[in-house]
């Protein structure tokens, strides 16, 4: 079973992020790392391929400047190869443009039975890309999977809900977004790290995917960020001096919040 | 000669840093002071799976055939985390000595050593094999063939044992620079501990306010921390050089190791003192994390030859009269 995993390479979340003052979009300069939320999909894919008794795990990524450092982490975990779309024309792409590029990259990878994604990226978090990819490919979309199984060509997931989970079945091929915690990602081994740099990374441009640069990036964006404002500072809480009636004030406060 | 770490070596470091960040936070080090084993629990098995424990073993013996230059940054990270495991004794000192290191490389057996001249072996009560100095080399003993006598250590998460061999089988192996590898490993860990204490202190003085400003804005505090940083950055290249010299059989390797261990020990002790000073009273409290790293630094500065002993070694090679170091 061949599995494609969409992985995003993002600026290290430990470093405070910066917005470009002109475009209000995230600055993506310097080294990028594998989005931690994608490591769950990579691990799930490796386990599913292993259980199916074979098949390749292919990484699908779109990043500026042919950035591969995040891909290397996932290749070191055991993914076989990667398709990396990098093109100056992609700057400013909105979620739908991103989905178009990723869907085309999945098609380019060829012979894919299952696509895994995270539920959303850690730096952009629109949460819409997985569904858009499925729609563009014309495949079923299954979301928020906390458990994934493939048996006799049938896909079964447990879809996380507020109360518990729904069991959802689908035929293959399909697109599944997995939650953090679907599986525990492995640590890359030294052997894996050494092998990763020799694994094939298919670097391609927008034109290579048969897309027009008018459909992506700033020119293709259907959304525009008009303004960005700092989150309001947290206001000081209310202090209650206890004159014997403090408990009533607390109860009233909690009632107002509909906690009790 | 390109004297810089390769992408692989930096990736090994990053992978181990990430692993220890998750598997060996301060709570794990704190727990090792009082738990049954004095060790980390999960981190050791993960390090074995990653290939760290067998890095120096040959591929025929389950290892990766890597060198101390590949391992030195990794050992530095284990210092940063104050990993409560005999990783220096196991991965750096004894794996290259064992006749068959397959089980040690896989982490199925833990090996410790009493080869630093003190006669004491850390974490010996949970190690399967203990390596002692023999008359003609290093003697490898099973734990069942020794009697252990717990000794006090300033660092409660680095349990020390005097090892008394009972009559029994002893496999004697060539020691092959074991002492130098141990001193280098301790020096690398001291760099990491130094960095950790600096990180903790810089974070603290940026947060702690006095007279309406962070105490880190006072020049006297900045000077303390700049001195600490300077000592660390002067020690770092000596440690890396020593790793290279041991790997490539430089005839002066032992001197380079002595320079590295002396400087790394002094630098870590200085940083520890400045860290304690800049923290004020809270630095002394058991509940605060600084002591976990400070006490490991004190313990390691005194093992595998302290700074004074190593300076004396350097002095001897320079032909200086003994006692002038």
């Amino acid at each position: 079973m061949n599995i494609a995993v969409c992985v995003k390479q993002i600026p290290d979340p430990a470093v405070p992020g910066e917005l470009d003052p002109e475009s209000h979009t995230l600055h993506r300069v310097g080294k990028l790392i594998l989005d931690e939320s994608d490591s769950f999909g990579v691990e799930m894919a490796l386990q599913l391929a292993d259980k199916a008794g074979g098949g390749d795990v292919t990484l699908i990524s779109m990043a500026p400047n042919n950035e591969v450092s995040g891909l290397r982490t996932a290749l070191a975990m055991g993914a076989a190869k990667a398709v990396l779309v990098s093109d100056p024309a992609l700057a400013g792409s909105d979620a739908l443009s991103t989905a178009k590029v990723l869907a085309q990259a999945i098609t380019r990878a060829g012979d894919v039975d299952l696509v895994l994604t995270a539920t959303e990226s850690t730096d952009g978090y629109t949460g819409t890309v997985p569904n858009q990819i499925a729609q563009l490919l014309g495949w079923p979309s299954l979301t928020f999977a906390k458990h994934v199984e493939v048996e006799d060509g049938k896909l079964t997931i447990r879809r996380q809900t507020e109360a518990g989970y729904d069991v959802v079945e689908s035929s293959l091929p399909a697109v599944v977004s997995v939650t953090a915690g679907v599986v525990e990602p492995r640590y890359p081994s030294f052997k894996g790290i050494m092998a990763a740099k020799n694994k094939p990374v298919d670097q391609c441009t927008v034109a290579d995917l048969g897309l027009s640069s008018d459909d992506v990036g700033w020119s293709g964006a259907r959304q525009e960020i008009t303004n960005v404002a700092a989150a309001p500072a947290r206001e000081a809480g209310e202090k209650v001096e206890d004159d014997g009636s403090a408990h009533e004030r607390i109860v009233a406060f909690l009632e107002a919040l509909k906690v009790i | 000669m390109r004297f810089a770490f390769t992408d692989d070596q930096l990736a090994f470091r990053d992978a181990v840093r990430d692993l220890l960040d998750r598997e060996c936070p301060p709570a794990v080090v704190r727990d090792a002071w009082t738990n049954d084993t004095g060790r980390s629990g999960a981190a050791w098995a993960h390090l074995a799976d990653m290939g760290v424990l067998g890095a120096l073993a040959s591929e025929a013996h389950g290892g990766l055939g890597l060198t101390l230059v590949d391992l030195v940054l990794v050992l530095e990270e284990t210092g940063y985390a104050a990993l409560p495991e005999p990783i220096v004794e196991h991965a750096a000192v004894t794996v290259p000595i064992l006749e068959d290191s397959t089980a040690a490389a896989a982490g199925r057996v833990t090996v410790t050593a009493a080869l630093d001249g003190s006669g004491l072996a850390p974490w010996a009560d949970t190690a399967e094999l203990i390596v002692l100095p023999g008359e003609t080399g290093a003697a490898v003993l099973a734990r069942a063939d020794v009697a252990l006598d717990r000794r006090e250590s300033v660092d409660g998460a680095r349990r020390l044992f005097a090892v008394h061999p009972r009559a029994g089988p002893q496999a004697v192996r060539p020691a092959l620079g074991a002492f130098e590898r141990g001193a280098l490993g301790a020096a690398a860990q001291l760099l990491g501990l130094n960095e950790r204490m600096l990180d903790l202190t810089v974070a603290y003085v940026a947060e702690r306010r006095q007279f309406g400003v962070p105490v880190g804005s006072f020049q006297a505090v900045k000077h303390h921390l700049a001195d600490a940083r300077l000592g660390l950055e002067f020690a770092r290249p000596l440690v890396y050089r020593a790793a290279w010299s041991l790997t490539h059989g430089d005839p002066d390797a032992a001197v380079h190791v002595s320079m590295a261990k002396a400087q790394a020990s002094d630098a870590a002790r200085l940083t520890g003192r400045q860290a304690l000073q800049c923290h004020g009273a809270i630095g002394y409290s058991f509940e605060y994390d600084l002591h976990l790293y400070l006490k490991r630094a004190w313990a390691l500065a005194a093992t595998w030859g302290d700074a004074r002993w190593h300076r004396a070694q350097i002095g001897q090679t320079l032909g200086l009269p003994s006692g002038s170091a």
Side-chain angles (χ1 to χ4, degrees), chain A residues 32-57:
Chain A
L32 301 179
I33 63 168
L34 178 69
D35 188 339
E36 194 189 345
S37 62
D38 289 327
S39 60
F40 299 97
V42 174
E43 178 65 39
M44 190 72 249
L46 292 170
Q47 290 189 15
L48 287 171
D50 198 36
K51 207 171 159 197
D56 279 345
V57 174

Side-chain angles (χ1 to χ4, degrees), chain B residues 21-22 25 64 73-74 80-81 93 133-134 139-140 143 152 208 220 222 266-267 286 299 304 313 318:
Chain B
D21 203 37
R22 291 163 203 239
L64 297 173
L73 293 178
V74 169
Y80 189 85
V93 177
V140 183
R143 193 174 72 233
E152 282 301 313
R208 174 79 165 90
K222 290 183 192 173
D266 279 348
F286 189 81
W304 297 102
Q313 297 300 109
L318 294 173

Side-chain angles (χ1 to χ4, degrees), chain A residues 112-197:
Chain A
V112 170
D113 302 304
L114 176 65
V115 177
L116 296 183
T117 72
T119 55
E120 60 183 7
S121 66
T122 304
D123 62 343
Y125 46 85
T126 66
T128 57
V129 172
N131 279 315
Q132 291 169 338
I133 292 173
Q135 177 70 23
L136 288 163
L137 291 170
W139 295 357
S141 170
L142 293 78
T143 52
F144 298 102
K146 59 173 223 155
H147 183 84
V148 182
E149 261 183 46
V150 177
E151 200 87 33
D152 303 327
K154 193 183 73 180
L155 169 70
T156 309
I157 70 154
R158 290 182 193 163
R159 184 178 191 279
Q160 180 78 51
T161 65
E162 274 187 25
Y165 61 84
D166 298 331
V167 176
V168 185
E169 293 178 356
S170 159
S171 58
L172 291 175
V175 180
V176 179
S177 72
V178 298
T179 62
V182 65
V183 277
E184 190 63 34
R186 70 193 65 184
Y187 295 107
S189 70
F190 282 12
K191 260 188 190 155
I193 289 168
M194 289 188 282
K197 62 178 183 293

Side-chain angles (χ1 to χ4, degrees), chain B residues 220-239:
Chain B
V221 173
K222 290 183 192 173
H223 281 174
H224 275 331
L225 297 178
D227 288 344
R229 170 57 70 188
L230 204 62
L232 169 58
E233 294 309 330
F234 275 33
R236 209 185 280 278
L238 291 174
V239 176

Side-chain angles (χ1 to χ4, degrees), chain B:
Chain B
M1 179 176 76
R2 183 185 121 85
F3 199 73
F5 290 101
T6 65
D7 287 348
D8 274 355
Q9 287 159 348
L10 297 174
F12 295 161
R13 175 199 65 190
D14 292 347
V16 170
R17 177 179 295 174
D18 184 47
L19 188 162
L20 294 174
D21 203 37
R22 291 163 203 239
E23 309 292 343
C24 189
V28 167
V29 184
R30 184 176 293 281
D31 188 53
W33 276 65
T34 50
N35 69 13
D36 290 344
T37 61
R39 295 177 57 186
S40 69
W44 190 246
H46 283 300
L47 287 166
D49 290 344
M50 189 175 265
V52 178
L53 302 189
L56 298 189
S58 68
E59 293 187 40
H61 286 152
L64 297 173
L66 297 175
T67 70
L68 283 169
V69 178
D70 301 311
L71 200 60
V72 67
L73 293 178
V74 169
L75 293 174
E76 201 175 322
E77 293 302 320
T78 64
Y80 189 85
L83 177 71
E85 297 286 354
I87 187 143
V88 167
E89 288 74 13
H90 182 108
V93 177
T94 57
V95 156
I97 291 179
L98 298 177
E99 189 171 5
D100 183 354
S101 53
T102 311
R108 288 195 300 276
V109 303
T110 299
V111 193
T112 188
L115 296 174
D116 82 327
S118 68
L120 304 177
W123 294 283
D125 60 333
T126 53
E128 279 79 18
L129 295 176
I130 301 165
V131 180
L132 300 176
E135 277 176 27
T136 56
V140 183
L141 291 102
R143 193 174 72 233
D145 295 327
V146 299
L148 297 176
D149 182 12
R150 175 96 183 250
R151 295 295 172 85
E152 282 301 313
S153 169
V154 65
D155 178 7
R158 188 175 182 275
R159 296 183 188 176
L160 288 177
F161 297 86
V163 185
H164 310 288
R166 300 191 178 107
Q170 293 191 4
V172 176
R173 302 278 304 156
L176 295 170
F179 178 82
E180 285 75 17
R181 287 196 303 280
L184 176 83
Q189 288 194 316
L190 283 162
L191 296 181
L193 287 157
N194 197 326
E195 192 78 57
R196 183 62 166 256
M197 291 189 289
L198 258 176
D199 281 355
L200 281 171
T201 310
V202 169
Y204 179 77
V205 300
E207 187 187 310
R208 174 79 165 90
R209 297 172 75 86
Q210 194 58 270
F211 309 112
V213 291
V215 296
S217 65
F218 300 131
Q219 199 175 38
V221 173
K222 290 183 192 173
H223 281 174
H224 275 331
L225 297 178
D227 288 344
R229 170 57 70 188
L230 204 62
L232 169 58
E233 294 309 330
F234 275 33
R236 209 185 280 278
L238 291 174
V239 176
Y240 299 162
R241 168 67 207 233
W244 191 91
S245 297
L246 283 174
T247 299
H248 295 275
D250 189 305
D252 293 328
V255 183
H256 296 159
V257 169
S258 282
M259 289 175 169
K261 179 63 168 67
Q263 197 75 10
S265 301
D266 279 348
R269 289 181 64 92
L270 173 70
T271 297
R273 202 158 56 236
Q274 309 295 45
L276 201 52
Q277 179 77 32
C278 293
H279 270 88
I282 194 168
Y284 283 87
S285 54
F286 189 81
E287 292 76 10
Y288 189 76
D289 290 339
L290 178 65
H291 85 101
L292 302 173
Y293 306 97
L294 179 62
K295 288 170 183 167
R296 180 65 56 82
W298 285 340
L300 291 183
T303 60
W304 297 102
D306 63 8
R308 176 188 291 261
W309 185 88
H310 280 288
R311 272 197 298 272
Q313 297 300 109
I314 300 163
Q316 264 182 21
T317 64
L318 294 173
L320 298 177
S322 62
S324 64

